[in-house]
Amino acid sequence: GVIVMRSGKNALATIDAIKTKLEKLKPSLPPGVEIIPVYDRSSLIKRAVSNLEHKLLEEFIVVAVVCAIFLFHIRSALVAIVSLPLGILAAYIVMYFQGVNANIMSLGGIAIAIGAMVDAAVVMIENAHKHIEAWSHAHSGEKLTGETHWQVIGDAAAEVGPALFFSLLIIVLSFIPVFTLEAQEGRLFAPLAFTKTYAMAAAAGLAVTLIPVLMGYLIRGKIPEEQKNPLNRFLIAIYRPLLDVVLRSPKVTLLVAGLIALATVWPMSRLGGEFMPPLDEGDLLYMPSALPGIGAGKVSELLQQTDRLIKTVPEVQSVFGKAGRAESATDPAPLEMFETTIQFKPRDQWRVGMTPDKLVEELDRVVKVPGLSNIWVPPIRNRIDMLATGIKSPVGIKVSGVSLKEIDRLTVDIERVIKSVPGVSSALAERLNGGRYIDVDINRDAAARYGLNIADVQSIVSAAIGGDNIGETVEGLQRFPINVRYPREVRDSVEKLRQLPVLTERGAQIQLGDVAEIRIDDGPPMLK
């Protein structure tokens, strides 16, 4: 059985509930029957979210330390840092009511926003420091307290507050194009855009409401001058000469900047691009392709053979392979396409020096079966590629045309050329010929002589060979269909199909070959 879960508001909670139910079911299973998960994406989701949460905490600490070093005043740094948890909390509240769950992209939006969220607070605090420093120089020997203190802080906040508020709003508005993305891109990047927008909007609101009040309460006592911070003195000493040179030679500066920008054009054109960056999913799909025309027995044999070879690699925990497709039309996979899900052991149980890339290389060396072209892809990446392009490999070439024979010739030629390209581990052209079909060509005149029409013969072929449900049996709460058709030994060859007995309306018994020509024809195994 297969349980398919789509991500939703409480997907992980639902998966955990299913696991709990399965554990309760185990004692009631018949002897020898086990429930073994072959692919569980919830562990990847939990690992990714946990990793991102730790990175967010690390980023939070780094921002706090940087603020403390540059402001050189612990209480002032605290004012700037307060906007981080409050801004993130505000984003979480909106996420909760909107139904946006905590995933890689939504938490990634907060990670992007953290650095910019404290900008307004830091600028406002620095401006307050400047105002306090200027007041101290103007009122030498006096202590800044009471109403005067609040007046100075208020003036400092009012001076830069509106500009800071609108600068943060501009950053928020810069993400509007992301909201216009549709379909797959929209679903992928919308959570990131939402959470970053919420966090930045919250930071903008806090910058002109809470931060000035906290500055009034916490920025007190002896405020260090900018020149007393050794890091500031060092950076100013480096920056001032460069600034002087730039101001003296503006044309040269613009020319150098233009040349640097032009110099990036060539390497940028060589970068290439992809829709989704590589993600270590922890699991792997082995999806080889065989040539069409392969029998079901041989497919089963090859599937077992490749599963055994994969299991010989020490890092592999479990292997589950399938061939063909389900009864539904949701996965139109031909018989010659395998899909083997490989689960690996935890990283601490891997051999020393083993990496995911080395593991794929070793699997490719171990699994060498004549007639199979190996493809190793992560499951999520594979689904995205197939949804976006219809091709199961990361790189593919599509050939379109009106002649199946000509397309087949061209794709085989392309396969031969591609195999010689450096870096290509395997290449296989999907054959449009090689599928084996049994054609039943009904002879209308012969059928009419026996009192049969086309529908009569077709119903015999579909029921006797394909099978027909004539009823169902009830066993407890379960219902099972009763399907009747001729046994396999009667329908396992063309000659035996020709000899299938057909009963006419007059009671005469004839053979299917008397009213139809039965032959094997070549055809496309699958059309795309």
Side-chain angles (χ1 to χ4, degrees):
V2 179
I3 297 173
V4 180
M5 283 288 299
R6 287 181 172 84
S7 61
K9 188 174 182 181
N10 299 307
L12 287 177
T14 307
I15 292 171
D16 290 337
I18 290 173
K19 289 180 179 178
T20 304
K21 291 285 185 183
L22 290 177
E23 288 297 324
K24 291 180 180 179
L25 281 174
K26 283 184 179 180
S28 63
L29 294 174
V33 177
E34 295 180 85
I35 298 175
I36 301 174
V38 295
Y39 180 51
D40 182 2
R41 197 173 289 177
S42 64
S43 57
L44 167 65
I45 298 170
K46 289 177 179 177
R47 285 199 312 270
V49 172
S50 175
N51 180 55
L52 199 51
E53 286 174 348
H54 283 99
K55 295 303 177 186
L56 280 173
L57 183 60
E58 291 174 10
E59 192 174 4
F60 189 98
I61 294 171
V62 168
V63 171
V65 170
V66 169
C67 288
I69 291 174
F70 276 91
L71 293 174
F72 219 55
H73 190 248
I74 298 299
R75 285 182 298 180
S76 297
L78 181 62
V79 175
I81 296 164
V82 162
S83 61
L84 287 179
L86 292 178
I88 293 172
L89 179 61
Y92 276 142
I93 292 172
V94 182
M95 284 169 59
Y96 174 79
F97 286 106
Q98 188 183 356
V100 177
N101 57 359
N103 54 46
I104 298 175
M105 299 306 288
S106 62
L107 293 179
I110 293 176
I112 294 172
I114 279 183
M117 285 172 66
V118 294
D119 283 354
V122 170
V123 172
M124 193 170 282
I125 292 166
E126 285 184 334
N127 196 49
H129 283 201
K130 286 290 186 183
H131 275 249
I132 292 173
E133 185 180 334
W135 188 93
S136 299
H137 286 310
H139 303 81
S140 182
E142 295 184 34
K143 191 174 182 181
L144 182 61
T145 57
E147 187 68 30
T148 308
H149 169 78
W150 283 100
Q151 184 64 42
V152 171
I153 294 295
D155 292 342
E159 184 178 19
V160 295
L164 291 173
F165 179 78
F166 286 108
S167 67
L168 289 178
L169 287 187
I170 289 171
I171 298 176
V172 170
L173 294 174
S174 67
F175 261 63
I176 285 180
V178 181
F179 291 105
T180 63
L181 295 175
E182 298 179 354
Q184 188 173 311
E185 297 84 356
R187 290 192 297 273
L188 187 63
F189 291 104
L192 182 146
F194 277 124
T195 52
K196 183 181 185 297
T197 299
Y198 299 152
M200 292 300 298
L206 291 170
V208 294
T209 54
L210 181 64
I211 297 301
V213 177
L214 292 179
M215 288 195 311
Y217 282 112
L218 296 178
I219 302 181
R220 292 176 179 272
K222 187 177 180 181
I223 305 299
E225 297 181 6
E226 187 178 36
Q227 293 296 330
K228 296 215 176 147
N229 187 333
L231 183 60
N232 283 348
R233 287 204 306 271
F234 173 72
L235 294 175
I236 290 171
I238 296 175
Y239 175 71
R240 191 176 292 278
L242 292 174
L243 181 62
D244 292 338
V245 171
V246 168
L247 292 176
R248 282 199 306 268
S249 309
K251 292 182 180 179
V252 175
T253 301
L254 291 173
L255 180 62
V256 171
L259 291 175
I260 293 173
L262 288 174
T264 62
V265 172
W266 184 82
M268 185 174 65
S269 66
R270 310 296 297 178
L271 282 177
E274 56 183 315
F275 176 69
M276 187 176 178
L279 171 68
D280 181 13
E281 299 179 24
D283 299 313
L284 202 63
L285 274 183
Y286 172 55
M287 297 187 70
S289 290
L291 294 176
I294 189 170
K298 187 63 177 178
V299 167
S300 178
E301 179 188 333
L302 287 174
L303 195 62
Q304 294 178 41
Q305 182 182 352
T306 54
D307 283 358
R308 283 195 295 268
L309 290 172
I310 292 169
K311 196 66 175 68
T312 59
V313 177
E315 284 75 13
V316 174
Q317 180 173 320
S318 67
V319 185
F320 178 78
K322 81 171 186 68
R325 66 184 181 203
E327 291 183 359
S328 70
T330 57
D331 186 16
L335 187 64
E336 59 268 12
M337 188 177 86
F338 300 173
E339 187 173 302
T340 302
T341 304
I342 306 168
Q343 283 191 310
F344 294 116
K345 296 175 182 177
R347 287 292 179 89
D348 55 4
Q349 298 180 26
W350 289 15
R351 286 168 287 174
V352 177
M354 182 58 70
T355 64
D357 291 338
K358 290 181 180 178
L359 202 51
V360 171
E361 291 175 5
E362 181 166 343
L363 285 167
D364 200 49
R365 285 196 304 270
V366 170
V367 186
K368 290 292 185 185
V369 179
L372 293 184
S373 178
N374 290 349
I375 296 179
W376 309 89
V377 287
I380 299 175
R381 175 62 184 265
N382 172 257
R383 297 307 178 201
I384 291 175
D385 286 341
M386 293 188 77
L387 284 171
T389 65
I391 299 174
K392 65 182 179 180
S393 57
V395 180
I397 299 173
K398 287 185 176 182
V399 180
S400 300
V402 295
S403 169
L404 294 181
K405 185 177 180 181
E406 186 66 12
I407 292 175
D408 216 27
R409 184 189 67 79
L410 288 172
T411 53
V412 171
D413 290 345
I414 293 171
E415 175 191 326
R416 187 168 55 253
V417 174
I418 291 296
K419 283 182 176 179
S420 63
V421 175
V424 174
S425 60
S426 65
L428 179 71
E430 292 184 347
R431 273 31 176 203
L432 297 181
N433 286 301
R436 309 289 281 174
Y437 294 89
I438 296 177
D439 278 357
V440 179
D441 189 4
I442 301 171
N443 187 323
R444 294 170 180 268
D445 294 337
R449 282 196 295 269
Y450 292 105
L452 300 173
N453 57 34
I454 299 295
D456 295 332
V457 181
Q458 286 179 339
S459 66
I460 293 168
V461 171
S462 64
I465 301 175
D468 193 17
N469 290 339
I470 62 170
E472 61 181 9
T473 176
V474 180
E475 298 182 15
L477 297 176
Q478 295 177 306
R479 295 173 181 266
F480 300 96
I482 300 172
N483 188 279
V484 176
R485 63 176 174 174
Y486 284 124
R488 182 176 293 276
E489 60 268 15
V490 179
R491 51 185 172 82
D492 62 356
S493 72
V494 173
E495 187 58 37
K496 290 180 179 179
L497 289 177
R498 292 193 184 103
Q499 298 172 5
L500 284 181
V502 177
L503 191 65
T504 67
E505 290 184 358
R506 298 174 185 174
Q509 184 169 313
I510 61 174
Q511 294 180 351
L512 183 60
D514 294 333
V515 292
E517 181 185 354
I518 303 173
R519 62 182 182 274
I520 295 178
D521 282 341
D522 286 335
M526 184 172 70
L527 287 177
K528 288 188 179 179

